[in-house]
Amino acid sequence: MNWMIFSPEICCLVTALVFLFLAMAPTDARRDYIVAVALTGLAVCISLAGLYAAGELFHGTYRVDLFSQVFKSLLLMGLFLVVFISSGLSGIEHRYHPEYYMLLSICTLAMMMLVSAVHILTLYVALELSSYSLYILVFLRKGRDQGVASGMKFFLIGASASATMLLGLALLYGATNAAYFRVMVEVIPGVIHQPEVILGLALSLSGFLFKMAVFPFHFWAPDVYEGAAHQVAAYISTASKVAVIAVLLRMVALSGGESTHLVHFLAVLAIISMTVGNLTAIAQKDLKRLLAFSSIAHAGYVLVGILCISPEGNVSAMFYAVTVLLLKFTCFLVVIQTAFDGENIDIDRLAGLHRRSPIMALALMTALFGLAGIPPTIGFTGKLLIFVAAMEKGYFALVLIAMFNVVISLYYYLLVVRAAYLLDPPEGAGPLPAMPGAKILAGTLVAAIVILGIYPTPLLDLIQAAATALG
Amino acid sequence: MHTELAEFPFLSAILTSCLVGLLVIMVLPGHRTREIKWVSAGFSGVTLILSVYLFAAYDQDLGGFQFVERMAWIPRLGISYYNGADGFSLPMLLLTGIVFFTGVLTMWELEHRVKEFFALVFLLVTGVFGMFMALDLFFIFVWFDVSLFPMYLLIAVWGSTRKEYAAMKLTLYLLAGSALILPAIVYLVVQAGMGTFDLVALSAEGTLGPGVQKFAFLLLYIGFGILAGVWPFHTWSPVGHVAAPTAVSMIHAGVLMKIGAFGVLRVGMFLCPEGWQFWAPLMALLATVGIVYGAFVGLSQTDLKYCIGYSSVSHMGIVGLGLATMTADGINGAVFQMFAHGVMTALFFSSVGYIYDRTHTKIIAELGGLGRVMPVATTYFIIAALTGIGVPCLASFWAELLVFISSFKVYPVYGILAVSGLVVSALFMLRVVQRTCYGPKNEKFAHLTDVSFTLGIPRMILVSVIVLFGLFPSLMLDVIRTATIPFLHRLP
């Protein structure tokens, strides 16, 4: 067996083990932070070096190809970024810091396995592993009540969703007698019109739709975002979304585009997610809740790309995964910088941000305009790709509805920009206490958002090649 | 996809000078306001010189798109960086150059958050220039949006009179417009099935079916029409004009609204001639209602800026009417009107801005007798008002004349209504002038100073342009014609 192609996962596993041992040693937050940054940075480098690795492991249940490697690199980048902004980590007690890094690493490992899984059991186990790590991460929030309440909600809904998914997978297995995706993809299009197959596919998708916070599986998102520590919320809204997009692409591709029922089902979910997410976000005062509802809306946009079940649709959804990662992370960077004490922040607390930290205000504005899909940001290019893919399939109404949702979303994004740029800072509020490297990171993110928006070709070429591996 | 570059990329040079100016402003420390203003004036001056050069160097005998630059951008989607200028875009580029430069000079006295103000203005104008020169649908949309969103901050931070409300309303309205434009553009590209966003290639005969054209044109017309202030989608415009600071009002009413009309022309009419033909009666109706409505509502306004805002709705209606006639004169007049109205409104807003800065009021009843205190400032104001009325020897006279002649031929009823609307418009303009500038000297304003020579420079430039093109309309019309004639040949 070629273990080299497993090296990004091994690196992540080693990181988790290191923190398992560090958890037994006396607490030293500084040491933990430096070790975590170094190890996750190394993991990113290793994953990038092994981008073009290919092969199969564990009796063909685990496939390594460009598709999975691109997503693994994205996941590790997400992990690295979240770890990088954990230097303050005031939302989690000092003594739990090693556990925090360990769980993040395990969760990322599980998600990496998720994107490589091509067998329903590997898929299920990987999903559960990632979910349980996330539940515990939410519980770690300092000032227990909030963390426990939202963690419990997350856990209960999550467990039900995964049970439902298991039922769906069982139905699929029963109908097709296949557990390997490569077999299923051949069998399912032929039997897709059987009710148990369509039901099985819909139920098994529900587990991932839950993870992505698509309507009607979205109820956990605002509470969990609000209840989790900022860094954990950042991780949930970025890295975990990336993994789910990858798996959803694989799962929906199983139908071979033969079922109009499935497409209609997903289209309805996409429309409701976009609309509910955006309309509810307008009423939010808490910035993290607002970002949660915006995530629900964005899940709807991604679903439009996924339900095209075409090479263009796949490319657009993958590109959108990068978009979400960059834009949402930038927003959370600003949240963490503004709420240095680890407490939740109202939108009003951003007042005068442009004076307290011009670069953070700029980063926030760029990211929000990106989320609203305004050119020349990466958010616009992502939406354009999705719209082109959907239009090629003839889904004009879907595109129009998505565009009007973009306008609705702009309203609440502008309210946040308004707070940052138009309101005066409160009396006596000085410059924000800067985390080391935060300004450079913010500048880099702004540059990345704009440059990838203006010139997405290299990234698109890579994603195109990766999507070919999927098909 | 081939790469094609003009000997010297003049069009990109305009964009580059805007972007370099933006970067220099961003790098300069915020307290160096004097340097920031000089840098802004310098770079906007360069764009003015370049746009004048382009206008003069355009080969009228050759016609078509000139100064073409082309480079593959996102080959996967058939998107290229493709610029060119023809008889329709050259007047708009010249207009943008003029209004941008004079707008920067008008804001010379700004003290509040100077760096951010000029940075945003540069960003906005980059979008405007880009939109006027782009020949790729992707870039047209990108530049269109880039020119819209700085407006939110420009109005919300530096504006007055319910500024946050106005900024939000304006942004949401205009983005609702772009919510129609983007699906329409993607729809056209996908329906053509050529895998390209190239406007010229897509406009080839037989590429798009009549049904597709009719549907897409309607979306594009409403989408761009919102920005052009087409009735009934105009409600953002007077509110936005009133709230915006002087230079932004100048750029906004002077240039930004033209992007809307230009979008209808360049994207809608260019790609969907059959759609244009089908919807032209509706366009004419809405335009006429806009002309009459703008004039009557303007008549009852008490705020100076609202008066000009509603007169803009009325004047942009003339553009719409001209485009709806589908005749050479009508289109020439419409494009000329876009230019003339741009310069005139810029002069109008710069004059009102000066009056407001000094007197701290825009309410007509509180003004009066200004002519005795600020003779120079009021002269500029009166010239702008006369241009608005369409007095001969001033630029808009020719534009309006051409539009009305052709509308009498094609839509006689609308033509008569529009002219009567214009009479009302003239009435209210004269009334505004009479109430603000004439009458006994107002002691409250006796101590105020008149426009200094330096502050007068931008206004002098605008007046000269109005008079120049008023006396020699062929300077402009000859250029526009080079685009109109081949354009009309494409009509089925």
Side-chain angles (χ1 to χ4, degrees):
Chain A
M1 200 166 84
N2 181 8
W3 283 98
M4 283 308 288
I5 60 173
F6 203 56
S7 45
E9 288 89 333
I10 293 176
C11 196
C12 222
L13 185 64
V14 169
T15 311
L17 287 175
V18 167
F19 281 102
L20 180 66
F21 289 114
L22 284 179
M24 297 172 207
T27 320
D28 181 351
R30 186 92 201 125
R31 174 204 63 199
D32 294 339
Y33 174 69
I34 292 169
V35 172
V37 169
L39 284 175
T40 50
L42 181 70
V44 173
C45 297
I46 289 176
S47 75
L48 286 175
L51 204 57
Y52 290 94
E56 287 193 343
L57 293 172
F58 314 124
H59 305 288
T61 56
Y62 196 85
R63 189 160 111 191
V64 176
D65 51 19
L66 189 57
F67 175 78
S68 67
Q69 297 306 90
V70 165
F71 272 104
K72 282 177 202 167
S73 299
L74 286 176
L75 283 169
L76 284 171
M77 277 180 211
L79 173 69
F80 173 74
L81 288 172
V82 171
V83 166
F84 188 80
I85 55 171
S86 299
S87 71
L89 203 58
S90 39
I92 291 173
E93 279 180 42
H94 268 195
R95 61 196 169 109
Y96 292 129
H97 283 198
E99 280 87 347
Y100 162 79
Y101 293 119
M102 183 187 76
L103 288 166
L104 274 185
S105 306
I106 292 179
C107 188
T108 313
L109 173 67
M111 287 176 180
M112 285 159 74
M113 291 168 68
L114 200 60
V115 296
S116 264
V118 286
H119 186 281
I120 49 177
L121 272 184
T122 337
L123 182 86
Y124 184 72
V125 172
L127 185 77
E128 286 298 271
L129 182 58
S130 71
S131 301
Y132 279 90
S133 325
L134 276 186
Y135 302 149
I136 306 170
L137 276 170
V138 175
F139 278 116
L140 286 183
R141 175 82 186 258
K142 199 155 82 177
R144 286 306 175 72
D145 294 349
Q146 218 171 13
V148 170
S150 52
M152 277 310 283
K153 188 166 189 174
F154 194 21
F155 170 69
L156 290 174
I157 303 179
S160 322
S162 73
T164 318
M165 185 184 77
L166 197 56
L167 177 63
L169 289 176
L171 280 175
L172 276 186
Y173 180 70
T176 61
N177 211 10
Y180 284 95
F181 284 1
R182 65 165 183 276
V183 184
M184 290 170 98
V185 83
E186 285 163 13
V187 180
I188 290 181
V191 293
I192 188 94
H193 301 295
Q194 292 177 14
E196 71 265 32
V197 176
I198 193 85
L199 183 68
L201 210 49
L203 290 183
S204 49
L205 283 178
S206 67
F208 304 108
L209 297 177
F210 156 78
K211 281 281 219 175
M212 208 157 89
V214 172
F215 177 91
F217 312 99
H218 67 286
F219 287 103
W220 60 273
D223 294 333
V224 169
Y225 276 48
E226 193 184 6
H230 301 330
Q231 285 84 352
V232 174
Y235 185 80
I236 294 174
S237 79
T238 54
S240 84
K241 295 284 187 291
V242 169
V244 182
I245 291 172
V247 187
L248 265 178
L249 280 171
R250 271 204 207 279
M251 290 297 290
V252 175
L254 286 181
S255 74
E258 298 294 324
S259 169
T260 46
H261 294 306
L262 183 69
V263 172
H264 289 160
F265 168 68
L266 292 178
V268 169
L269 292 192
I271 291 172
I272 303 180
S273 289
M274 289 188 269
T275 316
V276 167
N278 282 325
L279 288 178
T280 325
I282 291 176
Q284 302 307 315
K285 295 273 180 286
D286 184 289
L287 188 55
K288 283 204 293 177
R289 280 187 83 84
L290 183 139
L291 287 173
F293 281 107
S294 121
S295 282
I296 294 167
H298 282 275
Y301 300 132
V302 179
L303 218 48
V304 174
I306 293 175
L307 64 83
C308 291
I309 321 183
S310 65
E312 289 78 20
N314 295 346
V315 170
S316 70
M318 287 174 74
F319 191 88
Y320 212 79
V322 183
T323 307
V324 167
L325 179 71
L326 263 179
L327 298 175
K328 276 282 154 65
F329 180 78
T330 311
C331 292
F332 273 100
L333 173 68
V334 179
V335 169
I336 290 165
Q337 284 297 295
T338 319
F340 221 65
D341 49 7
E343 291 301 313
N344 284 353
I345 58 168
D346 278 353
I347 294 168
D348 293 341
R349 208 171 137 184
L350 291 171
L353 187 66
H354 72 279
R355 273 199 231 158
R356 302 182 67 202
S357 176
I359 181 76
M360 287 301 155
L362 180 70
L364 181 69
M365 183 170 73
T366 317
L368 290 174
F369 279 139
L371 287 171
I374 293 183
T377 60
I378 188 173
F380 168 68
T381 317
K383 288 209 173 70
L384 179 78
L385 287 169
I386 287 179
F387 292 164
V388 171
M391 204 70 95
E392 278 177 356
K393 283 283 192 170
Y395 305 143
F396 183 85
L398 205 52
V399 173
L400 204 60
I401 294 170
M403 251 340 259
F404 274 104
N405 266 289
V406 167
V407 180
I408 301 174
S409 71
L410 190 77
Y411 175 71
Y412 60 84
Y413 292 135
L414 278 180
L415 289 182
V416 181
V417 174
R418 170 185 169 270
Y421 272 91
L422 305 186
L423 302 182
D424 286 325
E427 285 290 318
L432 285 181
M435 196 179 76
K439 284 184 180 172
I440 298 172
L441 182 61
T444 316
L445 288 167
V446 169
I449 290 170
V450 175
I451 291 171
L452 286 174
I454 294 175
Y455 192 63
T457 307
L459 179 65
L460 261 178
D461 288 344
L462 176 68
I463 286 176
Q464 166 82 38
T468 316
L470 174 74
Chain B
M1 186 160 309
H2 64 290
T3 302
E4 183 185 329
L5 279 178
E7 244 171 62
F8 180 82
F10 284 102
L11 295 172
S12 292
I14 292 183
L15 292 181
T16 313
S17 59
C18 289
L19 286 174
V20 173
L22 172 66
L23 284 178
V24 175
I25 293 171
M26 295 282 276
V27 171
L28 281 170
H31 62 274
R32 309 282 292 265
T33 52
R34 211 175 155 67
E35 283 81 355
I36 290 170
K37 286 172 188 171
W38 276 107
V39 165
S40 308
F43 281 98
S44 59
V46 172
T47 64
L48 175 62
I49 293 167
L50 284 170
S51 54
V52 172
Y53 172 80
L54 284 175
F55 190 80
Y58 182 77
D59 188 340
Q60 293 178 14
D61 297 330
L62 207 60
F65 290 107
Q66 295 177 22
F67 315 105
V68 171
E69 306 155 358
R70 188 171 188 166
M71 199 168 66
W73 196 264
I74 309 177
R76 227 185 71 78
L77 292 177
I79 293 169
S80 51
Y81 173 76
Y82 183 16
N83 290 334
D86 69 347
F88 291 146
S89 48
L90 283 168
M92 297 300 107
L93 291 172
L94 181 66
L95 170 71
T96 314
I98 294 168
V99 175
F100 181 29
F101 181 65
T102 51
V104 167
L105 294 188
T106 308
M107 291 311 274
W108 208 254
E109 290 182 323
L110 182 79
E111 293 300 334
H112 175 55
R113 289 167 82 173
V114 177
K115 173 178 165 167
E116 288 148 302
F117 179 85
F118 283 107
L120 285 168
V121 167
F122 266 75
L123 184 62
L124 188 157
V125 172
T126 311
V128 174
F129 270 125
M131 163 83 187
F132 285 142
M133 61 179 74
L135 293 178
D136 184 282
L137 287 175
F138 171 82
F139 275 95
I140 288 181
F141 185 79
V142 167
W143 293 126
F144 177 77
D145 261 17
V146 166
S147 64
L148 297 185
F149 82 94
M151 202 49 114
Y152 175 77
L153 288 176
L154 281 171
I155 294 181
V157 177
W158 291 273
S160 55
T161 326
R162 295 205 294 166
K163 55 187 184 179
E164 285 188 25
Y165 162 76
M168 184 64 91
K169 181 170 182 176
L170 177 142
T171 315
L172 290 180
Y173 255 76
L174 301 189
L175 275 143
S178 72
L180 294 174
I181 297 167
L182 186 63
I185 285 177
V186 177
Y187 178 69
L188 285 175
V189 169
V190 171
Q191 288 295 323
M194 294 162 70
T196 179
F197 278 71
D198 180 340
L199 182 92
V200 182
L202 288 172
S203 66
E205 213 169 311
T207 312
L208 299 159
V212 173
Q213 292 195 20
K214 284 174 194 165
F215 180 54
F217 184 85
L218 185 65
L219 294 180
L220 290 167
Y221 173 63
I222 299 175
F224 283 117
I226 292 178
L227 183 50
V230 168
W231 185 89
F233 314 112
H234 67 284
T235 59
W236 61 270
S237 117
V239 186
H241 292 346
V242 172
T246 306
V248 176
S249 293
M250 288 169 70
I251 293 172
H252 189 208
V255 182
L256 213 61
M257 283 177 89
K258 310 304 173 292
I259 283 189
F262 186 78
V264 173
L265 177 72
R266 177 64 95 218
V267 186
M269 289 158 56
F270 224 69
L271 288 182
C272 315
E274 289 182 63
W276 170 35
Q277 200 172 29
F278 182 78
W279 292 109
L282 176 76
M283 283 173 74
L285 173 70
L286 295 184
T288 312
V289 175
I291 295 171
V292 177
Y293 169 87
F296 275 99
V297 179
L299 196 61
S300 61
Q301 295 307 312
T302 50
D303 184 310
L304 256 186
K305 274 193 159 184
Y306 266 116
C307 282
I308 307 171
Y310 279 105
S311 88
S312 273
V313 173
S314 192
H315 284 123
M316 288 305 288
I318 297 175
V319 175
L321 189 59
L323 294 179
T325 59
M326 296 195 298
T327 59
D329 279 347
I331 296 172
N332 290 340
V335 178
F336 199 171
Q337 170 74 356
M338 279 153 74
F339 178 83
H341 176 251
V343 183
M344 176 204 83
T345 324
L347 182 62
F348 236 144
F349 277 113
S350 73
S351 309
V352 174
Y354 185 84
I355 293 173
Y356 177 63
D357 286 345
R358 293 296 180 276
T359 60
H360 302 294
T361 178
K362 295 177 295 192
I363 306 300
I364 299 169
E366 293 175 10
L367 296 163
L370 283 181
R372 294 171 195 275
V373 187
M374 301 190 244
V376 182
T378 44
T379 308
Y380 291 129
F381 185 70
I382 294 167
I383 294 174
L386 293 179
T387 318
I389 295 167
V391 168
C393 295
L394 298 175
S396 62
F397 168 73
W398 300 104
E400 291 176 13
L401 189 70
L402 284 171
V403 171
F404 287 129
I405 288 175
S406 51
S407 65
F408 275 126
K409 283 185 202 154
V410 186
Y411 307 106
V413 178
Y414 295 160
I416 293 166
L417 284 173
V419 170
S420 57
L422 213 67
V423 173
V424 177
S425 168
L427 183 74
F428 93 71
M429 284 282 185
L430 291 176
R431 181 175 149 269
V432 167
V433 166
Q434 187 252 325
R435 291 205 183 167
T436 11
C437 306
Y438 296 100
K441 188 173 174 179
N442 193 332
E443 286 309 319
K444 211 165 46 172
F445 305 133
H447 63 287
L448 296 179
T449 49
D450 203 352
V451 178
S452 66
F453 179 76
T454 356
L455 276 179
I457 292 174
R459 292 155 179 100
M460 279 181 239
I461 296 174
L462 293 169
V463 171
S464 325
V465 174
I466 291 173
V467 175
L468 175 73
F469 288 103
L471 291 177
F472 306 103
S474 59
L475 281 179
M476 180 60 70
L477 285 170
D478 287 348
V479 175
I480 301 172
R481 262 190 212 116
T482 58
T484 315
I485 293 160
F487 184 55
L488 282 174
H489 283 308
R490 301 183 47 239
L491 269 182

